[in-house]
Amino acid sequence: MLHCNALLAKNFVYIQAISVIRHVFKIKIGKNIKVKHKAATAPITDALLDGSKTLFPEYSYSGKLRPFPRKPRITTLPDSIGTPDYWEHGKPISELQSRGIGQIRVLNSEEIKGMKLAGKLGREVLDVAAKMVKVGVTCEEIDDAVFKACMDRECYPSPLNYRGFPKSCCTSVNEVICHGIPDQRPLQDGDILNIDITVYKNGFHGDLNETFLVGNVDEAGRKLVEASYESLRRAIEQVKPGAKYRDIGGVIQKYINSCGFSVVRSYCGHGINQLFHTAPSVPHYAKNKAIGIMKPGHCFTIEPMIKRGRLER
């Protein structure tokens, strides 16, 4: 297990880097999978559960992984749970209203306390999920545990109904880059699983994740995970007031390319506070055009997603 969360506080300057690793075994990234969520709630049959029949036979898959059925989205919550603005309709209104502004918010001391609490609770929830990772457990069972852990701590699982996302966490297995939807596929010996947790507490989002080796992962898979983690560690070392956000990607790519892997460019790190996703953007590849200089009170994620194979074009 690799711990992929870091809170940095140096020289009384608070800059938060909630750091994440994603892993993918694709050699080439093609079009993204976009399917209607209701399709995945089709009647469950033995063929679907044992993997001999797929929910989306017309899709051209890049690997061996196939979607399994899942339960419908949770639509009721205890009254004590504070919810973000997208809980009922799926549209993050405040986030959409901030688009195009580009200004990086500087959090005050009270807001930083709110972020620390959200991060602490998120870590506790992720620890609950971590204890469940073993061969035979389904990602949906992990998601059920994540939801319960959030309710026990009176916080909201931020992914739930964010732009229609149907579950409380993201579980990305093997060739899934990120944002995988938990379903009823049992984890298999040799899988690599990333669990991405974000919780919403008192108006703040805390985002973190961890990557797990399920059973006996081969040497190539272990090296991929280790290189991803090391690239993250090196990126965190760059976090300090005055540093340029665009320089983080160069540090990550230089190390990853030296290991024979490449960086996924389709997704990047992001600002986080009262908004789930906001400025700045933090690309993980070199020669990017990200804008912004790090300042005390900035809060953002670093999320290197690394793959085997040639550089994505």
Side-chain angles (χ1 to χ4, degrees):
M1 297 180 185
L2 296 178
H3 182 201
C4 309
N5 182 51
L7 296 177
L8 304 182
K10 295 183 178 180
N11 300 324
F12 303 100
V13 173
Y14 182 84
I15 296 181
Q16 180 168 347
I18 306 175
S19 309
V20 252
I21 296 179
R22 321 271 199 215
H23 309 281
V24 61
F25 291 90
K26 288 184 180 179
I27 292 180
K28 182 177 181 180
I29 304 297
K31 57 186 178 181
N32 292 328
I33 301 176
K34 292 185 178 180
V35 296
K36 294 182 178 180
H37 290 151
K38 64 182 181 181
T41 58
I44 298 174
T45 65
D46 290 341
L48 288 174
L49 289 175
D50 66 17
S52 60
K53 183 178 180 181
T54 181
L55 287 167
F56 311 106
E58 73 284 356
Y59 183 79
S60 179
Y61 293 92
S62 63
K64 296 180 179 180
L65 196 69
R66 297 293 182 272
F68 274 57
R70 57 174 174 76
K71 296 181 294 187
R73 177 174 66 84
I74 293 170
T75 56
T76 59
L77 293 173
D79 293 337
S80 61
I81 304 299
T83 58
D85 59 7
Y86 54 81
W87 151 240
E88 292 186 340
H89 47 68
K91 184 179 292 186
I93 297 174
S94 56
E95 191 173 299
L96 293 172
Q97 289 174 341
S98 72
R99 286 284 178 89
I101 298 176
Q103 184 175 357
I104 304 171
R105 282 207 46 212
V106 175
L107 304 185
N108 61 37
S109 59
E110 288 303 310
E111 291 171 322
I112 289 172
K113 288 180 181 178
M115 287 301 301
K116 286 183 175 181
L117 176 60
K120 174 180 180 294
L121 294 175
R123 180 68 250 181
E124 292 177 5
V125 172
L126 182 52
D127 286 343
V128 170
K131 293 177 181 177
M132 297 189 63
V133 177
K134 63 180 180 180
V135 175
V137 172
T138 70
C139 288
E140 189 163 69
E141 289 172 334
I142 293 173
D143 184 79
D144 289 342
V146 165
F147 179 81
K148 182 179 183 303
C150 287
M151 297 303 101
D152 291 344
R153 291 159 179 78
E154 296 193 336
C155 56
Y156 180 87
S158 299
L160 185 60
N161 208 29
Y162 176 78
R163 298 180 179 271
F165 190 84
K167 292 294 184 179
S168 298
C169 68
C170 301
T171 53
S172 303
V173 181
N174 297 344
E175 66 261 29
V176 177
I177 301 170
C178 60
H179 305 153
I181 300 175
D183 60 20
Q184 296 177 27
R185 174 189 178 273
L187 292 172
Q188 299 177 10
D189 187 58
D191 282 346
I192 293 178
L193 168 67
N194 180 272
I195 302 177
D196 192 352
I197 301 290
T198 308
V199 304
Y200 181 78
K201 179 70 173 181
N202 297 338
F204 295 91
H205 296 274
D207 184 357
L208 64 161
N209 75 37
E210 194 162 343
T211 298
F212 302 90
L213 306 177
V214 183
N216 301 297
V217 175
D218 62 25
E219 185 64 20
R222 287 179 176 272
K223 287 182 178 180
L224 178 63
V225 174
E226 291 167 359
S228 301
Y229 183 81
E230 177 61 18
S231 75
L232 172 62
R233 189 192 65 79
R234 294 183 180 213
I236 291 173
E237 289 181 345
Q238 309 305 307
V239 177
K240 59 184 178 181
K244 297 177 181 179
Y245 284 104
R246 66 174 182 237
D247 290 344
I248 289 177
V251 172
I252 293 172
Q253 183 173 319
K254 180 179 179 180
Y255 177 74
I256 287 302
N257 287 356
S258 73
C259 296
F261 303 126
S262 55
V263 177
V264 174
R265 301 188 177 198
S266 302
Y267 304 95
C268 63
H270 55 88
I272 185 168
N273 40 63
Q274 290 94 334
L275 301 179
F276 196 171
H277 301 89
T278 186
S281 293
V282 188
H284 307 120
Y285 54 89
K287 299 181 180 179
N288 64 76
K289 297 181 180 180
I291 59 175
I293 304 294
M294 298 178 198
K295 296 180 180 180
H298 284 185
C299 187
F300 58 94
T301 70
I302 301 174
E303 315 186 26
M305 295 164 239
I306 311 305
K307 62 179 182 178
R308 297 195 300 202
R310 65 180 177 84
L311 178 65
E312 179 188 352
R313 300 295 181 184

